[in-house]
Amino acid sequence: MGLSKWVNTIFRSSKAAAAATEAIKPSTTSPGSVGIENKAKTLSSQQQNGFASEATFETRAFKLHNLEEGPSTKVTLTKEDALKYYSQMYMIRRMETAAGNLYKEKVIRGFCHLYSGQEACAVGMRAAMRPEDSCITAYRCHGWTYLMGVSPQAVLSELTGRSSGCARGKGGSMHMYGKNFYGGNGIVGAQVPLGVGIGFAAKYNGTKGACIALYGDGAANQGQLFEVYNMAKLWNTPCIFVCENNGYGMGTSAERASANTNYYTRGDFVPGIWVDGMDVLAVREATRFALEHTSSGKGPILMETATYRYSGHSMSDPGTSYRSRDEIAEVRQTRDPITSLREKILTNELATVEELKEIEGKIRAEVDTATKVAKADKEISVEELTTDIYANPQNLTTVRNTLPLAELPHKRLGQAVNL
C-alpha cells in the first residue's frame, strides 16, 4: 500500500505544491506566497541581546471561496507566543500519549479518540480567540478541553472516570466541558447546529462573541450541517464552521466519501477559507480573519483545516487497514506540527535547545503526575450519579432506574458551567 491520494494532494513535494498554489492563488495573494515550501519561509527576525524577540514568516497560500480578500500570508511570531504555542502543542501530545497508554492498561474504558497530529488546529484557533468567544467540538476533544482552561489532571481524571475529573468522571472521553466550552459531543455532526445556537445566543445577548463549531470530514456530509449553513447565513449568525479535514472519516478516505472534497466551498453563500492545518501560525491568522469577518456583522464563515491524525479513528482502530505505515511515517517526518514549530523557533533563535528541553521536561513531569492521580483518585458515589442532569432540578425530579417503579432522586450538586 503506497501513499494515499490525500497525502499526495495535501502534503505533496514543494514543486507540486508550488504549482497548485499558483493555480488557486486569489488575486489578493502576494506574489511572494507562490511556490513556498510546506514549511513556512522566514522573512525576517528582530534581534535582542543576541537572540530574536520576534520573527516573520510566510505561510502557504490560503484558498478562498466567496471572498474578495483573505488572511495575510505574512505572519509575525514573538518569542513569548512561540514558546506558548510550543508548550500547548507538546502538552496535548503528551496527554494523548498518556491517554493511549491508560486505555491499553484498561484504566480508560469505552470510547477514546486521540488528537495526536492535529494539535496545530486547536492551538492556532485558541490563540486567536477572544474572552467572549466560545467553542464546541466533536468527540476528539481532550486537547480543546485543556486549552479552554481545564487542567491536564482534570482531563485525564475525567477519562478514567474519577471524581476529580472536569465532569466528576460522569462524562468520560466524549463529554468534557469548561468555561465557554460546550463539549465534547458524541453524536456525529450534532454539535454543529448547537454551535449555531450558541452563536445566535451571543448575537441575541449582545456579547459580541462568536462560536467556533468544529467537525471532521467524516461528518461533513451530514444533512444537518447544510441546514444550519443556510440558517446561519439567513440570520447572519456569528459562527465559524471549522472542518478539521484529517483525510479519513473513520476508515473511509475523503475522496471515497465526498463528491466535493473542497469542504471550504460547501457553505454555498457562506464564504470559506482553506488553511494548512499543520501550521499553527496559518491557523491562527485564518481564525483571526474569520473572527473579524463574523464580528463585523457579515455572518458565518467556513474554514477547512487540512490536517492529519496519527492514531486510528478511535482506540479500537489500529489505523493501518486503510492506509499504510509509510504514509503515517511520511507525514510525521515531513509535516509534524510540533517538530515544524520547533525548527522555526531554533532556526530563528527565538529560543535555545536548552529552553525547549526545559519546557518538555516540565510537561512530561506534569503529565506523569496527573496520570498517577487519574489512576489513584476515587470514583463518585452511587448517590451522585443522578445529580446535575438538568441545571434546574425541578425540570426532572426523578431519574429512571434499572427496574420500574424504583426511580432515583435528581438533585442539584453544583452550578452549571456556562450558566
Side-chain angles (χ1 to χ4, degrees), residues 8 107 157 163 246 256 276 288 299 324-325 348 374 384 386 398:
N8 284 327
V107 179
S157 291
S163 60
N246 60 27
R256 289 181 60 213
D276 178 2
R288 284 176 175 172
S324 68
R325 297 183 187 276
N348 293 276
E384 192 182 328
T386 56
T398 59

Side-chain angles (χ1 to χ4, degrees), residues 228-261:
V228 292
Y229 290 160
N230 182 59
M231 294 169 69
K233 185 58 181 174
L234 278 174
W235 300 336
N236 273 343
T237 305
C239 182
I240 302 173
F241 299 103
V242 180
C243 178
E244 291 184 286
N245 182 3
N246 60 27
Y248 300 95
M250 296 186 73
T252 305
S253 63
E255 62 268 14
R256 289 181 60 213
S258 301
N260 176 13
T261 55

Side-chain angles (χ1 to χ4, degrees), residues 191-268:
Q191 72 278 6
V192 184
L194 299 179
V196 175
I198 296 166
F200 182 79
K203 181 179 180 179
Y204 184 85
N205 292 322
T207 67
K208 299 183 180 180
C211 182
I212 297 176
L214 300 106
Y215 57 97
D217 53 286
N221 297 321
Q222 288 269 325
Q224 57 189 325
L225 267 71
F226 294 91
E227 292 183 53
V228 292
Y229 290 160
N230 182 59
M231 294 169 69
K233 185 58 181 174
L234 278 174
W235 300 336
N236 273 343
T237 305
C239 182
I240 302 173
F241 299 103
V242 180
C243 178
E244 291 184 286
N245 182 3
N246 60 27
Y248 300 95
M250 296 186 73
T252 305
S253 63
E255 62 268 14
R256 289 181 60 213
S258 301
N260 176 13
T261 55
N262 294 316
Y263 295 100
Y264 69 101
T265 69
R266 285 181 158 209
D268 194 8

Side-chain angles (χ1 to χ4, degrees), residues 84 93 194:
K84 179 182 178 181
R93 182 70 60 86
L194 299 179

Side-chain angles (χ1 to χ4, degrees), residues 39-113:
K39 67 177 183 177
K41 181 174 69 176
T42 305
L43 298 181
S44 63
S45 61
Q46 294 185 10
Q47 297 289 321
Q48 188 177 52
N49 298 326
F51 291 95
S53 58
E54 66 177 42
T56 304
F57 302 91
E58 187 86 12
T59 69
R60 288 184 67 175
F62 300 95
K63 302 177 188 179
L64 307 179
H65 170 70
N66 280 348
L67 286 168
E68 293 183 0
E69 61 180 359
S72 173
T73 56
K74 184 179 179 180
V75 298
T76 300
L77 178 66
T78 65
K79 175 175 181 175
E80 180 182 2
D81 284 344
L83 297 182
K84 179 182 178 181
Y85 304 157
Y86 185 78
S87 298
Q88 290 175 330
M89 288 199 290
Y90 194 83
M91 174 63 82
I92 294 172
R93 182 70 60 86
R94 294 298 301 186
M95 281 172 48
E96 296 295 59
T97 300
N101 291 334
L102 287 169
Y103 195 94
K104 292 170 185 175
E105 295 172 20
K106 298 185 179 180
V107 179
I108 296 174
R109 310 303 292 263
F111 294 103
C112 186
H113 306 81

Side-chain angles (χ1 to χ4, degrees), residues 352-372:
T352 64
V353 174
E354 289 71 23
E355 286 178 282
L356 296 183
K357 285 184 176 179
E358 182 181 0
I359 290 171
E360 293 165 2
K362 288 180 179 178
I363 290 173
R364 284 195 299 269
E366 183 177 355
V367 173
D368 288 346
T369 300
T371 301
K372 292 176 182 177

Side-chain angles (χ1 to χ4, degrees), residues 24 50 67 75 83 101 149 167 181 200 282 322 336 344 346-347 376 418:
I24 57 87
L67 286 168
V75 298
L83 297 182
N101 291 334
F181 180 60
F200 182 79
Y322 48 87
D336 183 79
K344 290 184 181 73
L346 294 177
T347 301
N418 286 302

